Amino acid sequence: MFFDFDSVEYYSLNKSKEEEMGENNSKSIDNGIFDKIFFDDYPDKINNGIFYKTINSEGFSKFKLSQKDAEYLKSDIFLEKSSLKMLENVYACAPQYRDILVFKKKNQISGIAKICLSCRQFYLISSKKEIEIENFGTEKEFKLLGKLFDKYKKDKN
């Protein structure tokens, strides 16, 4: 597994915040930490208080995944696979990380997964020393994550 976890929090960037960031970006206004979260491979450590405070702000919706969905992620999505050898991916766009999963073990952060469903890119950071992510990110995995994310967003409305 990429992460050792017993619970998962899901954060989704609010449409209004994304639109505000787009307007500010077109006016060359820096959105600071929100831009780093949305566009960059950030944070570089799992225990980054500024990152965690920001995703718990008004700009994001927060959902606690059910135990069933957390187990599904553990057994079907976020595990190292050695049998796959993916082709080198060439991306046509820069990632926009609208979806973030925070993995916890005994209420301590053990990993973060930032996902861009539109261009199929991701950024993973784990408390484990080394994780093999080269075989993560199949088309099927992104579709399954998209369905899972939609389920929680629909429940909110």
Side-chain angles (χ1 to χ4, degrees):
M1 293 179 301
F2 296 135
F3 314 107
D4 185 18
F5 62 95
D6 54 25
S7 66
V8 182
E9 296 170 347
Y10 166 50
Y11 296 84
S12 176
L13 183 67
N14 293 334
K15 228 7 156 189
S16 58
K17 186 63 178 177
E18 185 176 350
E19 289 167 0
E20 173 192 321
M21 289 170 56
E23 288 173 21
N24 287 349
N25 199 3
S26 68
K27 296 174 186 172
S28 298
I29 299 171
D30 184 18
N31 291 301
I33 194 71
F34 277 98
D35 278 351
K36 288 179 87 168
I37 291 170
F38 191 59
F39 294 113
D40 297 337
D41 289 350
Y42 172 85
D44 57 356
K45 294 182 233 165
I46 60 169
N47 292 320
N48 182 312
I50 295 169
F51 168 80
Y52 202 64
K53 182 178 178 182
T54 305
I55 64 173
N56 278 285
S57 72
E58 290 180 19
F60 288 85
S61 296
K62 177 183 177 181
F63 309 91
K64 181 157 175 51
L65 268 60
S66 70
Q67 198 57 44
K68 179 183 174 188
D69 288 335
E71 286 300 320
Y72 172 72
L73 291 177
K74 187 181 283 190
S75 63
D76 287 13
I77 305 290
F78 289 100
L79 61 147
E80 295 179 13
K81 303 166 203 79
S82 59
S83 60
L84 298 173
K85 243 336 177 199
M86 293 177 50
L87 300 172
E88 187 70 29
N89 289 324
V90 178
Y91 303 110
C93 68
Q96 296 179 343
Y97 298 115
R98 292 175 183 87
D99 301 291
I100 301 169
L101 294 168
V102 175
F103 300 88
K104 292 186 170 184
K105 179 74 171 189
K106 297 180 182 172
N107 291 322
Q108 297 294 314
I109 299 172
S110 61
I112 298 167
K114 293 174 37 175
I115 308 291
C116 178
L117 292 173
S118 57
C119 67
R120 307 288 198 242
Q121 292 189 62
F122 59 91
Y123 173 67
L124 305 179
I125 183 167
S126 176
S127 60
K128 291 185 168 190
K129 294 284 185 239
E130 291 182 30
I131 55 173
E132 297 292 328
I133 60 170
E134 61 198 28
N135 294 319
F136 176 76
T138 65
E139 189 71 23
K140 179 182 176 189
E141 288 169 333
F142 279 108
K143 284 181 182 178
L144 293 171
L145 285 171
K147 285 181 185 179
L148 182 69
F149 297 159
D150 286 346
K151 171 182 153 180
Y152 283 89
K153 288 184 224 175
K154 286 178 186 167
D155 285 349
K156 177 186 167 207
N157 298 328

